[in-house]
Amino acid sequence: MDSEPKESVSDCGRNELPPEANSLAAASVFAPNRWVKLNVGGQIYATTIDTLVGREPDSMLARMFLQDGSMMPSERDEKGAFLIDRSPRYFEPIINYLRHGQFVCDSNISVLGVLEEARFFGIYSLVTHLEERLGQQEAPMGDRPLTRNDVIKAIIQTSVITELRFQGVNLSGADLRKLDFRNINFKYANMSHCNLSHTNLSHTCLERADLQYANLECAQLVSVRGLCANMV
């Protein structure tokens, strides 16, 4: 008795994939060194997959081109560039940050605008940097405590024959250990919680300065003028 003929399955039918699967496969072939073009609001940017993925692997841009296809790439323009409907004005500092890790922005570009774009794209290391930068700009310089770098810069830029004054300056919490402050005027300065260990304060003026909880361990205090200074 002849067996019934088996139905043949064509290779073409077996290999057919739905459009969604084809798109997903396309998203998984991006090699790290492959160049791609982005059309951001009409402006074309050429970059590599490694730039988009390497520094911020959890960002929106990275997930568009990761080989696991976790997020589908966007539509393309007539020249094959991926379309991204955002402002190119604020995108350029972001792509440069992804390239070299430094935030560089022209003076005519709003840092707040770049911050909002960084939030949109999920570039969170840049978000943190810009939030700190904007916070410092909002605080008046006279109210912001000077840092160790600020103080060292002032000392270096002042001639040895010129009197250096930090009179009334806010130095609260600054790390000033092992610095040479001879003959400097700190009258009325806020130096509370400062680390002044091993600092040379000889012949300084500390009149009415606030040194509450300052660390003066091994500090040199020869001929210091400390009338009414708070050294509790």
Side-chain angles (χ1 to χ4, degrees), residues 52 112 126 142 199:
L52 298 175
L112 181 59
L126 181 57
T199 298

Side-chain angles (χ1 to χ4, degrees), residues 27 30 59-66 71-74 82 84:
F30 292 110
S59 71
M60 178 188 296
L61 291 171
R63 287 185 289 120
M64 285 174 60
F65 298 100
L66 282 173
M71 182 175 180
M72 304 305 297
S74 63
F82 292 96
I84 300 177

Side-chain angles (χ1 to χ4, degrees), residues 1-12:
M1 183 174 179
D2 296 335
S3 60
E4 296 182 1
K6 297 180 180 180
E7 293 184 0
S8 62
V9 181
S10 68
D11 291 339
C12 180

Side-chain angles (χ1 to χ4, degrees), residues 36-214:
V36 294
K37 290 184 178 180
L38 307 177
N39 183 337
V40 183
Q43 178 71 42
I44 303 298
Y45 294 92
T47 188
T48 64
I49 300 299
D50 186 58
T51 294
L52 298 175
V53 173
R55 193 170 302 280
E56 287 279 353
D58 295 324
S59 71
M60 178 188 296
L61 291 171
R63 287 185 289 120
M64 285 174 60
F65 298 100
L66 282 173
Q67 295 195 7
D68 62 3
S70 59
M71 182 175 180
M72 304 305 297
S74 63
E75 297 291 333
R76 301 195 189 199
D77 64 14
E78 65 279 2
K79 294 184 179 180
F82 292 96
L83 289 162
I84 300 177
D85 186 19
R86 303 299 293 185
S87 169
R89 180 180 181 84
Y90 301 128
F91 182 77
E92 186 163 341
I94 290 176
I95 193 65
N96 285 332
Y97 172 79
L98 292 176
R99 285 167 174 153
H100 49 63
Q102 299 293 324
F103 175 69
V104 179
C105 183
D106 291 340
S107 59
N108 61 340
I109 296 178
S110 168
V111 175
L112 181 59
V114 179
L115 172 59
E116 291 306 314
E117 292 302 287
R119 286 171 176 162
F120 174 81
F121 287 112
I123 314 295
Y124 293 114
S125 60
L126 181 57
V127 168
T128 300
H129 171 77
L130 294 180
E131 286 178 342
E132 292 177 353
R133 177 169 175 165
L134 288 171
Q136 292 175 357
Q137 290 178 353
E138 291 172 0
M141 287 297 294
D143 297 335
R144 179 175 66 85
L146 296 185
T147 65
R148 179 183 179 88
N149 287 339
D150 293 331
V151 173
I152 292 175
K153 184 177 180 180
I155 293 174
I156 292 174
Q157 293 179 344
T158 303
S159 169
V160 293
I161 61 174
T162 303
E163 181 185 9
L164 178 58
R165 295 185 179 184
F166 285 105
Q167 187 168 331
V169 171
N170 186 359
L171 295 164
S172 177
D175 177 9
L176 304 176
R177 66 186 186 279
K178 299 182 179 180
L179 294 181
D180 188 352
F181 288 139
R182 285 176 294 177
N183 302 304
I184 293 179
N185 187 346
F186 289 104
K187 188 174 182 180
Y188 292 106
N190 180 0
M191 304 173 75
S192 62
H193 299 88
C194 276
N195 185 354
L196 294 165
S197 61
H198 301 277
T199 298
N200 190 346
L201 293 167
S202 298
H203 304 284
T204 59
C205 177
L206 296 174
E207 291 182 15
R208 303 184 185 278
D210 184 2
L211 290 152
Q212 188 174 21
Y213 301 112

Side-chain angles (χ1 to χ4, degrees), residues 15-29:
N15 293 329
E16 285 182 353
L17 294 173
E20 297 81 1
N22 286 327
S23 297
L24 184 59
S28 64
V29 298

